[in-house]
Amino acid sequence: MSEAVVLEVDGPEPVPYVPTLLDAELAPDDVAAWAASVTPGSAVVHTLAVLDPDRMSYAGRVDAVQAMEKHISWMQARQHRFLAVMAADPVLKTAVGELDKHWVREDVACALRLSAGTAADRLELATELTRLPSTLDLLERGGISTHHARHLGEAIVGLTDATTATVETAVLAKAPEQSLATFTRAIRKAVAAAAPTPAQDEHAEAMSQRRVAHSPRPDAMSEIWMLLPATGAIAFMTAVNALACRCGPDDQRTADQRRADAAIQLALDALTGTSCGELPREHRM
């Protein structure tokens, strides 16, 4: 019996199916499910942009939200790559030569409408993520959120490249299935195993990071964020809570509003050199 002859025909690879805008109009749930299952990219964005949540089922909306989150991660990863290159080349070329600048931070702050400090944090994170190439790749594929990448990037600050690679390998495989809280615990465990630090040194390093940050908001409000030693934070909150409790029966403010007003009052008392008076006592304190 003669052997069968298999003919191989050369031809173009099959083109992956990409839904059209008409598909997104007629079958939005199917398009959302497809978008949630594929790698993020420009081919998907145009169909996501026309999905109408009012014409979709609950499951379809969930798929659409998931797909959009993956694309947010994709764009965040792309932005990190650009910021890292800008941070690595902070020289502004002019007609009179090259001037070493902090203009990168200022330009990023202006372009993104951020404070200079927040822009500097963005540039620093982008730089750290270049030491985590697998993490940045996974973020770009939508496998993890930008919050996962940020927590890992912040955790490896100060670690050697070798230790950083060990930590990344230890935590990244399970990251796509983990909540942010679970992933953060895994990071702490991996860092402790790869770079054990004496408790006193760790506390000294943490103490060096204490700060108070002020971020204005467009509604005539501002946000204050503080990183304090545990004992200092307890003292501050004890004073705020005690002062907030000193109110009359007709006070219509919520507990959060009273605490906010109490914090302002503490600052005003310090500026004017006055005292807030006797505070309520609990357990003789």
Side-chain angles (χ1 to χ4, degrees):
M1 178 179 288
S2 60
E3 294 182 357
V5 177
V6 178
L7 297 178
E8 295 184 1
V9 179
D10 293 333
E13 293 290 332
V15 178
Y17 170 71
V18 177
T20 65
L21 297 181
L22 181 61
D23 293 329
E25 290 286 341
L26 298 178
D29 283 5
D30 293 338
V31 171
W34 166 81
S37 66
V38 298
T39 301
S42 57
V44 189
V45 173
H46 72 291
T47 52
L48 280 176
V50 300
L51 291 179
D52 184 355
D54 292 329
R55 299 182 60 247
M56 300 173 68
S57 68
Y58 181 83
R61 294 175 192 137
V62 171
D63 286 336
V65 169
Q66 181 183 12
M68 292 171 186
E69 185 69 16
K70 291 174 66 174
H71 280 73
I72 291 171
S73 296
W74 169 56
M75 292 304 296
Q76 287 280 5
R78 296 294 302 160
Q79 187 185 69
H80 287 318
R81 294 189 190 279
F82 274 79
L83 290 174
V85 172
M86 294 168 68
D89 186 22
V91 175
L92 180 65
K93 296 182 179 180
T94 68
V96 294
E98 295 184 345
L99 301 177
D100 187 15
K101 294 287 187 182
H102 292 298
W103 285 120
V104 173
R105 181 191 66 190
E106 303 301 330
D107 285 342
V108 170
C110 182
L112 303 184
R113 295 177 174 84
L114 303 173
S115 68
T118 302
D121 289 343
R122 289 275 193 100
L123 290 164
E124 182 179 0
L125 174 62
T127 300
E128 291 298 330
L129 286 176
T130 60
R131 303 173 59 212
L132 297 163
S134 297
T135 300
L136 198 53
D137 288 344
L138 187 58
L139 179 66
E140 193 163 8
R141 296 197 303 272
I144 56 174
S145 73
T146 188
H147 304 294
H148 287 71
R150 171 176 290 277
H151 275 66
L152 184 52
E154 291 174 348
I156 56 98
V157 173
L159 300 182
T160 65
D161 289 343
T163 302
T164 295
T166 300
V167 171
E168 182 182 41
T169 301
V171 303
L172 204 57
K174 296 182 179 180
E177 289 79 38
Q178 290 178 325
S179 68
L180 184 59
T182 302
F183 183 63
T184 301
R185 288 194 295 270
I187 292 174
R188 287 199 297 265
K189 182 178 179 181
V191 170
T197 305
Q200 290 182 346
D201 291 347
E202 184 176 346
H203 178 65
E205 172 61 25
M207 280 287 289
S208 70
Q209 302 299 317
R210 64 190 185 278
R211 58 191 180 276
V212 177
H214 168 235
S215 299
R217 292 184 9 164
D219 51 2
M221 300 289 284
S222 289
E223 296 178 355
I224 299 290
W225 182 87
M226 297 186 287
L227 180 63
L228 306 175
T231 54
I234 292 172
F236 178 77
M237 288 307 302
T238 299
V240 166
N241 286 326
L243 188 57
C245 288
R246 196 174 62 184
C247 58
D250 297 330
D251 196 320
Q252 299 298 313
R253 295 174 299 169
T254 65
D256 283 339
Q257 290 169 347
R258 293 199 307 271
R259 280 191 286 268
D261 293 343
I264 295 173
Q265 188 60 52
L266 288 173
L268 292 174
D269 289 345
L271 289 173
T272 58
T274 58
S275 170
C276 59
E278 183 69 17
L279 295 176
R281 291 178 174 270
E282 289 186 6
H283 309 295
R284 298 184 179 181
M285 296 184 62

